[in-house]
Amino acid sequence: KLKLNLVSIFAVAVIVFYSCAPAYVPNVVNAPMLTNKGEVQVALHTGTSGFDPQFAYAITNNIGIMANASFMNATSDSSDSFHKHSFGEFGVGYLKALGQRGKFETFAGYGRGKIQALYENNLWTSTSKVDISRFFIQPTIGLTSKVVDLGFSTRFSFVSITDGTDMASQVFAEPALTAKLGWDHIKIVSQLGISLPLNQKLEIITYQPLLFSLGLMGNFGKVFK
């Protein structure tokens, strides 16, 4: 019986569905939609990528930075199956207001991490033990208000994995819809998206295709109009 927690349920369900241990697990897309200089956003997510803390800061009205991480340690009580990963990244972005409520931003950055996973049943065993690095560029367009924020992002990720002396690389497109609901400085945030290799006929890296998360976001220093 699998441990009944949200992280394990999502992680193991996706791994079982695809009958393999993924070598690439996309983290939650950080779509802050920053408004003004000095604004700070901090968010905590849980979902298909495990536990994902996020940070974003507007250095000026047009320049922002972000830092993201992702952690998971999911195990099974009925077998030796498990999934563990840790990942961290940093990005710099350009911000632009589109009228009073509209936002456009593009972040680019780099991250590194590790994945160890084992999936087994009576028919086969699948394992992953790799180091991972990723360059990304991530445009987002959205609308913000005191109560609801909505954003659509498409993250393009150049992923490289290393297993000893073996290396592989692939580019993924990761569109995601982010919704934030609350009041002023505290909001519930949820995200739904997919991760797909740009050349689907050449699947070099096994990957987790679904992105889903639910979390809580704090917003500080934002000027509400």
Side-chain angles (χ1 to χ4, degrees):
K1 181 179 179 181
L2 296 177
K3 293 180 179 179
L4 297 180
N5 60 67
L6 184 60
V7 172
S8 296
I9 290 171
F10 277 120
V12 178
V14 173
I15 290 171
V16 169
F17 182 77
Y18 280 85
S19 304
C20 64
Y24 172 55
V25 177
N27 61 324
V28 177
V29 176
N30 190 352
M33 294 176 281
L34 298 168
T35 298
N36 54 265
K37 177 181 177 181
E39 181 181 353
V40 176
Q41 283 192 27
V42 179
L44 301 175
H45 295 257
T46 185
T48 53
S49 57
F51 173 68
D52 285 34
Q54 297 181 334
F55 170 84
Y57 173 66
I59 299 174
T60 72
N61 287 337
N62 297 111
I63 301 295
I65 58 173
M66 65 165 57
N68 311 308
S70 181
F71 306 97
M72 181 183 285
N73 188 351
T75 59
S76 170
D77 292 336
S78 61
S79 72
D80 293 329
S81 298
F82 72 91
H83 177 98
K84 299 179 181 179
H85 75 242
S86 59
F87 181 80
E89 65 183 357
F90 178 82
V92 178
Y94 170 75
L95 321 171
K96 182 174 178 59
L98 302 176
Q100 188 173 3
R101 301 297 184 190
K103 308 296 175 188
F104 173 79
E105 59 190 22
T106 300
F107 280 86
Y110 175 76
R112 294 185 62 87
K114 295 179 179 291
I115 289 180
Q116 297 182 55
L118 167 68
Y119 172 71
E120 63 178 7
N121 58 25
N122 293 330
L123 298 177
W124 59 78
T125 298
S126 176
T127 62
S128 293
K129 187 177 182 181
V130 298
D131 295 318
I132 183 170
S133 62
R134 184 180 74 185
F135 291 95
F136 71 90
I137 183 167
Q138 174 195 304
T140 297
I141 189 166
L143 295 170
T144 64
S145 70
K146 288 187 176 182
V147 179
V148 178
D149 298 347
L150 293 174
F152 179 76
S153 309
T154 301
R155 182 173 62 195
F156 296 95
S157 300
F158 181 82
V159 178
S160 297
I161 62 171
T162 305
D163 182 1
T165 58
D166 297 327
M167 295 183 64
S169 299
Q170 195 152 16
V171 179
F172 291 84
E174 296 167 342
L177 180 65
T178 304
K180 307 174 185 181
L181 177 64
W183 192 255
D184 287 357
H185 302 292
I186 301 295
K187 286 184 169 69
I188 296 171
V189 56
S190 184
Q191 186 173 105
L192 179 64
I194 57 174
S195 179
L196 294 173
L198 288 183
N199 186 350
Q200 297 188 37
K201 295 181 179 179
L202 183 63
E203 184 180 321
I204 301 172
I205 299 173
T206 57
Y207 65 98
Q208 181 171 286
L210 177 67
L211 292 81
F212 177 76
S213 69
L214 184 66
L216 191 65
M217 183 202 77
N219 189 307
F220 311 98
K222 180 175 181 177
V223 177
F224 292 94
K225 297 179 180 179

